[in-house]
Amino acid sequence: MGNETPAGTMIRLLQNLQRRAEENGLAGRVVQTSRAHPPVLVLINPDIHQLSEEISCKEVNPGDWWLYWSWGGQIGRATDVTGAVAAIRRVLGTRP
């Protein structure tokens, strides 16, 4: 927002998703392995640690940020946190 860098926007949006995901039973952390790689949100099913997913965030049009699965498929707009968490919970097999 305002003078926020693209990386800052990605981190903010991924942290918003992380908060909501954690409220819905997932464990997560935003990580950035180097400046050359964009940040991702790693989410884990705490009941089955083998079930995890890396969520990325990309700007597809100015101001229009989308969330993506690790394999490149779109999850949805980064502003639709509720819809994204529902989709992620289905993939990670968490209980309602």
Side-chain angles (χ1 to χ4, degrees), residues 18 21-22 25-29 41-46 49 92:
Q18 176 187 353
E22 288 176 345
L26 295 169
R29 177 176 291 183
L41 171 59
V42 179
L43 290 170
I44 299 168
N45 178 334
H49 292 127
L92 295 183

Side-chain angles (χ1 to χ4, degrees), residues 56-93:
S56 62
C57 186
K58 299 176 189 167
E59 188 176 30
V60 296
N61 290 306
D64 188 18
W65 292 84
W66 283 70
L67 300 168
Y68 291 84
W69 300 107
S70 60
W71 60 86
Q74 280 187 340
I75 299 171
R77 281 197 162 86
T79 54
D80 181 12
V81 178
T82 301
V85 168
I88 294 163
R89 288 182 71 208
R90 282 192 299 275
V91 168
L92 295 183

